[in-house]
Amino acid sequence: MNSFQKKIILKNRLTFLFVLVFVYVLLFEFILPINKFLPKPSLLIETFPALLTDYNLLAEMTITTTIVYLSIVIGYFIVWLFSYQFSKLISKNIGLFNNLRLFRNFPAFYFAILFAFWFGSSLLAELLFASVISAFFIALSYMQIAVNVPAEFFDSGRSLGLTGKNLHKNVTWKYSLPFIFKELHRLHYYLWVLILIYEFIGSSNGFGGIYNLALSYNDLSAIIMLGIIIALLIWLGNSIIDFIEKKLVFWKV
């Protein structure tokens, strides 16, 4: 996708967003100011200061965002550190990858409940849970690509005198990076959902804890405003992942 196509897509999305906002303001500020579905836009604006004071938004936002992004970094580092061992393992036992994929049949919601049940509102346990999910997700993505590296890539590497870990570093790992970063976007969104569920179930800190509290207060405006803030943070996170990808992965496969 070239830059012109990206600009067209961005323009269309911004236009669509503007139309949605315009319709929302028109309907719920002037035509249907009192309803049980969405609060008035002016009420949303008034809710933001309350989120800062009554719900301790900044501190809770820091907790959730730190857990999400730190766990992605930890998961990526673990897979990078053991990628050579993973490659050797699946080359000797090609069926191992398919066996590990069985765990994808278990809904992650199930594991979130287990961790919340075992450890409650422990932030360390929450980070451990998110890091395990990240490492497992990235490892599966890596192994899926590592078993499909074209043979000619290895032949070219060997012709340059590369062997062992050097061959792995310059061929297998670099070939896998574009695919791994593509999967990081899915993991990013996946983690946000999981961590929110984890925090909500455990009535712990973070955005999930605020959601739990807002729901107990029947505070619709806070629930909607939180959704907007989280959507902006996810968009920002995706932009950061794209930026890092452009700096680290400057080749095509």
Side-chain angles (χ1 to χ4, degrees):
M1 185 182 298
N2 57 43
S3 59
F4 178 74
Q5 289 174 320
K6 289 181 179 179
K7 288 180 180 179
I8 294 296
I9 292 174
L10 179 60
K11 181 180 177 181
N12 290 337
R13 287 178 177 174
L14 290 175
T15 302
F16 180 67
L17 179 61
F18 175 78
V19 171
L20 283 181
V21 172
F22 177 77
V23 171
Y24 170 60
V25 172
L26 182 64
L27 276 179
F28 295 98
E29 186 70 33
F30 302 106
I31 300 176
L32 299 171
I34 301 177
N35 67 90
K36 296 182 179 180
F37 299 102
L38 289 173
K40 296 194 302 180
S42 58
L43 188 58
L44 282 182
I45 297 173
E46 294 171 4
T47 299
F48 188 74
L51 282 173
L52 294 173
T53 55
D54 300 341
Y55 292 96
N56 201 16
L57 175 65
L58 292 180
E60 307 302 351
M61 180 174 66
T62 301
I63 290 172
T64 303
T65 52
T66 300
I67 293 292
V68 170
Y69 296 111
L70 183 58
S71 66
I72 292 177
V73 172
I74 292 173
Y76 180 90
F77 178 75
I78 289 173
V79 175
W80 170 78
L81 191 63
F82 295 101
S83 60
Y84 180 62
Q85 286 74 19
F86 288 152
S87 297
K88 291 179 63 178
L89 188 62
I90 59 177
S91 64
K92 294 179 180 178
N93 185 3
I94 194 68
L96 177 64
F97 171 70
N98 292 325
N99 293 336
L100 289 174
R101 290 187 67 180
L102 290 174
F103 287 100
R104 283 191 169 181
N105 295 326
F106 286 89
F109 176 75
Y110 166 76
F111 297 108
I113 291 177
L114 279 182
F115 264 75
F117 178 81
W118 289 335
F119 303 107
S121 58
S122 168
L123 290 179
L124 185 60
E126 186 178 348
L127 178 61
L128 175 62
F129 167 75
S131 299
V132 169
I133 293 295
S134 295
F136 185 73
F137 189 98
I138 298 172
L140 282 184
S141 300
Y142 166 72
M143 288 189 286
Q144 183 177 4
I145 300 305
V147 296
N148 294 311
V149 180
E152 56 266 25
F153 281 60
F154 291 112
D155 294 337
S156 298
R158 293 189 185 99
S159 68
L160 296 173
L162 300 176
T163 57
K165 289 187 177 181
N166 284 329
L167 182 65
H168 162 78
K169 176 184 176 182
N170 290 282
V171 177
T172 307
W173 180 249
K174 286 189 175 180
Y175 180 86
S176 303
L177 270 183
F179 301 96
I180 290 176
F181 269 93
K182 183 178 179 181
E183 290 297 301
L184 281 183
H185 286 286
R186 284 207 309 137
L187 171 63
H188 175 229
Y189 180 77
Y190 190 57
L191 267 181
W192 268 102
V193 174
L194 276 182
I195 295 304
L196 287 174
I197 292 173
Y198 184 99
E199 293 172 346
F200 184 86
I201 293 172
S203 299
S204 61
N205 298 317
F207 276 127
I210 298 180
Y211 265 124
N212 196 309
L213 191 60
L215 190 63
S216 67
Y217 290 158
N218 293 317
D219 192 344
L220 179 61
S221 297
I223 292 173
I224 300 296
M225 196 64 191
L226 279 175
I228 295 172
I229 293 171
I230 291 171
L232 290 174
L233 288 173
I234 292 175
W235 170 80
L236 179 61
N238 279 328
S239 300
I240 293 173
I241 292 173
D242 283 334
F243 176 78
I244 295 173
E245 180 181 5
K246 290 177 182 178
K247 293 296 182 182
L248 293 181
V249 186
F250 44 84
W251 61 88
K252 299 290 183 181
V253 293

